[in-house]
Amino acid sequence: MTADDIGIRVDDCIVVSNRGPLSFRFDADGALQPAAGGGGLVSAIGPLLANTGATWVSVTMSAADRAAVAEGRMVDDRFTLLPVVIDDDTYRAAYDVVANTTLWYCHHHLFDLPRRPRFDRHWRLAWEGYRRYNRAVADTVIDRAPANATVLVQDYHFSLLGQMLARERPDLHTVHFCHIPFADPNMLRILPDAAVAELLDGLAGFTACGFHAHRWEAGFLACYADAALAALAGTASAPPTFVSSLSSDNEGLLAEAASAECARSVESLREQTGGRRIVLRVDRVEPSKNIVRGMLAFEELLVTYPQWREQVVHVALVYPSRQGLAEYLAYTADVLHTAERINQVWGTSTWTPIVLHVEDDRARSLAALTISDVLLVNPVRDGLNLVAKEGSLLNGADGVLVLSREAGVWEELSEDALGVNPFDVSGTADALHRALSMDPAERKSRADRLRSIVVSRTASDWLRDQLTAAHPLNR
């Protein structure tokens, strides 16, 4: 396995994540139906640890998951699954209120400070739920982990877990990998003092903490070095850190993109766009992805560079995310309204400027990545952004990558992408014009170099880096 060369066993490896490799839903008749867990983590690390004896700890995200556990159906041939049953109220408090509305917004620097956040008694009750959620997962690991096991904890949902494990199972080798950015000190200071103290103390309990980019690692270390935050954290000091960029299953993606289903999607996309050039985006519908400013930049392209009118289509393939949160529903409405307005203003009987699909269609997304002329990736702030890598891998049209300098992947791809300030609509429009106008030879040389960078790293490298960080004496 990938850990052989550093002398670490994988059969005693435990992965901890909010979403596991198996989930359930109720069908129309109320029967339980299994479904493979979604998300980049499962698709990246799942194949590497499958059938190795590894254990996966995740939480029940729904009533269907809890029913599946009660019926003994939460079983996967590839892993030993340890589902942690969390009641609805605790899960909503931990996941919706603290993880996604507070920590996500804090680390992505998205707070609308004149209005949000408001840390009142309701929020404090939610924080207690977040603590219970971390405690329940910690108890499962403490009770079930073999001696000296390696525990790979994934993401900000489990920021308190490190200290809980360190106090009761100091034999464990624990890594926390943060898949999102880490807040700068000024932003972290917005959180209540007690919460900051618990967060920094919890993360300090890990053997090591990992990040996708050096910038996020620097922000993490700066929080421990900040005098005001250090005073809140007490004796907590920063744990060892490392940087390791995740990659997709490159071979699997290439095979999937070559499928008959993707070929049909290519034909459908060409029909929808009338064979015109394509400026593509593939994203979740959520505020940090900056979808609306991307559409406004496309509109400014049409205003400032009228030669592109009726010659290019902005294809936005976006899929719903966290639709139980008011902020996300409002942002979805903003996306839909912006696309509709631009199409009404600029569209003709034969040309729809923005082709928008708000649904998860993997085959269509992969197909679009293979044929796009420009891939627009302009997040306000992003831990990595796998789409930028996947587009560079799959594209067969020498497509140009227009990339936000606030994406973690900028560190890897900056030399051959066109960088943009994600807040600068005019600057993004100019970058789109440059991309569409680029000489074919330059397009090809940039695309070739981007592909070489992407294929030089695999998901195995990312897993190996975590295992190495968990066992520093093996380095």
Side-chain angles (χ1 to χ4, degrees), residues 356-402:
L356 172 66
H357 291 283
V358 186
E359 59 190 3
D360 192 359
D361 186 328
R362 182 172 173 81
R364 181 167 56 202
S365 296
L366 294 180
L369 290 172
T370 68
I371 64 172
S372 64
D373 297 280
V374 180
L375 177 60
L376 175 60
V377 180
N378 67 320
V380 169
R381 193 169 158 97
D382 209 336
L384 181 67
N385 198 288
L386 272 175
V387 169
K389 288 188 172 185
E390 292 168 349
S392 299
L393 173 73
L394 297 178
N395 189 267
D398 293 334
V400 180
L401 175 61
V402 175

Side-chain angles (χ1 to χ4, degrees), residues 107-375:
H107 289 312
H108 285 84
H109 295 186
L110 289 175
F111 282 142
D112 179 11
L113 292 179
R115 299 177 179 84
R116 296 287 190 277
R118 299 170 185 167
F119 299 122
D120 55 15
R121 66 187 185 281
H122 302 294
W123 187 89
R124 293 180 188 277
L125 288 173
W127 181 262
E128 292 176 7
Y130 181 73
R131 190 187 298 122
R132 289 196 304 274
Y133 164 92
N134 274 254
R135 183 74 252 179
V137 172
D139 288 343
T140 297
V141 175
I142 288 165
D143 291 344
R144 299 294 295 274
N148 301 305
T150 303
V151 184
L152 306 182
V153 178
Q154 304 300 311
D155 233 348
Y156 61 104
H157 310 89
F158 302 107
S159 300
L160 309 184
L161 208 61
Q163 202 59 255
M164 294 175 177
L165 297 178
R167 286 171 181 151
E168 299 181 50
R169 287 294 304 273
D171 61 300
L172 298 177
H173 305 272
T174 61
V175 165
H176 182 276
F177 197 92
C178 189
H179 291 264
I180 64 174
F182 201 88
D184 292 341
N186 286 340
M187 189 61 65
L188 198 65
R189 281 199 292 267
I190 292 169
L191 302 183
D193 292 356
V196 171
E198 277 194 80
L199 283 172
L200 295 180
D201 184 55
L203 290 166
F206 286 99
T207 305
C209 288
F211 305 88
H212 286 302
H214 289 89
R215 180 178 175 185
W216 315 141
E217 177 191 43
F220 177 77
L221 295 174
C223 287
Y224 284 91
D226 181 86
L229 295 176
L232 298 175
T235 59
S237 58
T241 58
F242 66 100
V243 173
S244 181
S245 171
L246 175 63
S247 292
S248 299
D249 174 10
N250 294 337
E251 291 184 5
L253 271 178
L254 287 166
E256 199 174 351
S259 69
E261 185 178 9
C262 283
R264 289 191 293 270
S265 293
V266 165
E267 293 306 310
S268 176
L269 285 166
R270 292 199 186 283
E271 181 177 348
Q272 291 177 57
T273 59
R276 295 176 174 87
R277 302 185 73 180
I278 293 174
V279 172
L280 173 69
R281 83 171 311 125
V282 178
D283 268 317
R284 296 194 313 274
V285 183
E286 56 105 325
S288 72
K289 298 301 183 182
N290 212 21
I291 298 167
V292 171
R293 284 195 189 92
M295 290 180 175
L296 296 177
F298 182 75
E299 181 178 35
E300 188 141 332
L301 172 78
L302 303 179
V303 173
T304 308
Y305 303 99
Q307 64 267 36
W308 295 117
R309 297 174 194 172
E310 300 200 56
Q311 304 302 310
V312 63
V313 175
H314 181 23
V315 175
L317 305 181
V318 299
Y319 52 98
S321 176
R322 300 167 185 163
Q323 293 296 288
L325 300 180
E327 294 89 341
Y328 285 74
L329 290 173
Y331 192 72
T332 301
D334 199 4
V335 168
L336 293 169
H337 170 75
T338 302
E340 181 180 11
R341 181 192 62 75
I342 292 172
N343 284 338
Q344 287 178 347
V345 170
W346 297 100
T348 68
S349 60
T350 58
W351 172 56
T352 302
I354 298 181
V355 172
L356 172 66
H357 291 283
V358 186
E359 59 190 3
D360 192 359
D361 186 328
R362 182 172 173 81
R364 181 167 56 202
S365 296
L366 294 180
L369 290 172
T370 68
I371 64 172
S372 64
D373 297 280
V374 180
L375 177 60

